[in-house]
Amino acid sequence: MAAGELTQDGRARVLADGNEIPLLALGVWQVPDGPECEDSVRWALEAGYRHIDTAQAYGNEASVGRALRDSGVAREDVFITTKFYPGSKDPEAEAQRSLERLGVDAVDLYIVHWPQGGPTWAWEGMQRAQRSGYARSIGISNFSASEVDELLKVAEVAPVVNQVQFSPFEFRRDLLTACEARGLALEAYSPLGTGRHLRDPQVAEIADRLNRTPAQVLIRWALQRGLIVLPKSTHRERIEQNAQVFDFELTSADVEALDGLDATGGTDRALEQPWW
Ligand code: A2P
């Protein structure tokens, strides 16, 4: 199958390096290490999620690994992403530490968490981590279109994803177009606006009309916009609800109405303000 195409069941897409990535992931940002994180991940796996998105900076890789083992789901059936914390020095050495915490031989995707210190310096170590077999695919996060271009000029192996804050309210259309044109799949973090967008009246109107929840509408919008989407929840019923998004469709009129909520001006930037 060609890069960018969906798999037959419509639930995964083919990355530029040929690896397949499930479109829906559980994100575990701000989920404390320990029972809360283990429960969330285990519930997600029970609800059919096959993609978990963690990071060195989240401090909860060990819980993700424990939940994966306890779930009884085979390692090869779950796509695990972690991210290089760019306050550290060596992506390869840090990948090895992540694998120890996760208790796996390799992650499916290893991402530079943000372009601290510039967009290029960490990439050589990311490529080494991949060559050493610690990561099947490598990518980036919080990179604007110009930072993607800077990196592509020096990369031997191109990044296959860019993970950014993305929702109808942060509809970075030019960044999405630029990433797709360069062979990077876009992953949407905070697709519910960390909860804020669930209260929007227009989202609620669409949800009521379709007999769905606002969360399902926002997740479905991301899928129909061609994104990989990473909603976070620590509640079992919400985790389950957020996975019920492959059995309905938004009309193009509803997708366009949601597009109109964008407050970024369709920017090609990943962030309004860097935090580092
Ligand atoms: P909680 O973790 O307490 O369930 P985002 O994915 O944009 O970061 O948003 C995550 C926020 O949205 C969290 O505060 C989470 O709360 C909340 N959330 C996630 N799914 C749902 C849902 N289906 N209904 C209501 N709130 C949700």
Side-chain angles (χ1 to χ4, degrees), residues 141-196:
S141 180
N142 297 301
F143 278 49
S144 65
S146 63
E147 288 163 335
V148 171
D149 282 337
E150 273 187 69
L151 176 55
L152 288 176
K153 276 189 211 139
V154 300
E156 281 169 47
V157 176
V160 293
V161 308
N162 189 13
Q163 181 179 127
V164 298
Q165 180 207 41
F166 214 99
S167 80
F169 301 79
E170 292 95 9
F171 181 25
R172 307 173 188 283
R173 191 191 279 262
D174 289 350
L175 181 58
L176 172 61
T177 307
C179 285
E180 289 287 354
R182 291 156 181 72
L184 284 82
L186 209 136
E187 297 191 306
Y189 76 69
S190 300
L192 315 177
T194 60
R196 288 185 321 280

Side-chain angles (χ1 to χ4, degrees), residues 4-258:
E5 280 181 19
L6 297 189
T7 53
Q8 215 165 16
D9 65 2
R11 291 181 182 224
R13 91 174 242 174
V14 182
L15 295 170
D17 60 10
N19 292 332
E20 287 178 14
I21 184 166
L23 299 179
L24 176 73
L26 179 76
V28 294
W29 178 48
Q30 290 185 328
V31 183
D33 203 34
E36 207 175 348
C37 184
E38 285 172 38
D39 284 346
S40 305
V41 172
R42 205 183 56 255
W43 291 332
L45 293 171
E46 284 171 14
Y49 290 66
R50 289 295 176 267
H51 180 174
I52 309 294
D53 183 277
T54 182
Q56 290 161 357
Y58 301 169
N60 55 21
E61 290 170 310
S63 296
V64 170
R66 259 195 306 278
L68 174 61
R69 284 189 297 283
D70 290 352
S71 73
V73 180
R75 166 67 189 98
E76 62 269 26
D77 292 339
V78 184
F79 191 100
I80 304 281
T81 298
T82 197
K83 309 186 192 82
F84 170 62
Y85 168 62
S88 309
K89 287 207 166 61
D90 182 6
E92 184 187 14
E94 297 305 328
Q96 224 173 348
R97 295 195 180 100
S98 281
L99 297 183
E100 280 163 26
R101 288 188 291 267
L102 284 160
V104 298
D105 297 332
V107 289
D108 297 279
L109 176 61
Y110 189 39
I111 293 179
V112 180
H113 207 153
W114 57 81
Q116 181 175 328
T120 57
W121 71 269
W123 198 247
E124 181 273 328
M126 297 295 288
Q127 295 176 152
R128 257 189 292 120
Q130 187 183 38
R131 271 200 306 274
S132 300
Y134 301 154
R136 298 197 176 95
S137 295
I138 50 177
I140 53 183
S141 180
N142 297 301
F143 278 49
S144 65
S146 63
E147 288 163 335
V148 171
D149 282 337
E150 273 187 69
L151 176 55
L152 288 176
K153 276 189 211 139
V154 300
E156 281 169 47
V157 176
V160 293
V161 308
N162 189 13
Q163 181 179 127
V164 298
Q165 180 207 41
F166 214 99
S167 80
F169 301 79
E170 292 95 9
F171 181 25
R172 307 173 188 283
R173 191 191 279 262
D174 289 350
L175 181 58
L176 172 61
T177 307
C179 285
E180 289 287 354
R182 291 156 181 72
L184 284 82
L186 209 136
E187 297 191 306
Y189 76 69
S190 300
L192 315 177
T194 60
R196 288 185 321 280
H197 303 333
L198 299 170
R199 296 187 291 273
D200 179 81
Q202 256 180 287
V203 176
E205 184 277 316
I206 296 172
D208 285 348
R209 181 156 40 75
L210 298 178
N211 212 9
R212 294 282 168 165
T213 66
Q216 289 171 327
V217 167
L218 292 170
I219 295 166
R220 186 67 214 174
W221 175 87
L223 292 173
Q224 288 185 221
R225 278 282 165 225
L227 308 169
I228 297 151
V229 59
L230 323 169
K232 171 260 174 188
S233 176
T234 52
H235 291 87
R236 186 172 200 153
E237 67 287 356
R238 292 177 176 174
I239 290 169
E240 288 169 357
Q241 180 195 116
N242 294 350
Q244 303 303 312
V245 287
F246 293 99
D247 57 348
F248 77 107
E249 257 185 70
L250 301 170
T251 61
S252 50
D254 283 340
V255 170
E256 280 161 29
L258 291 165

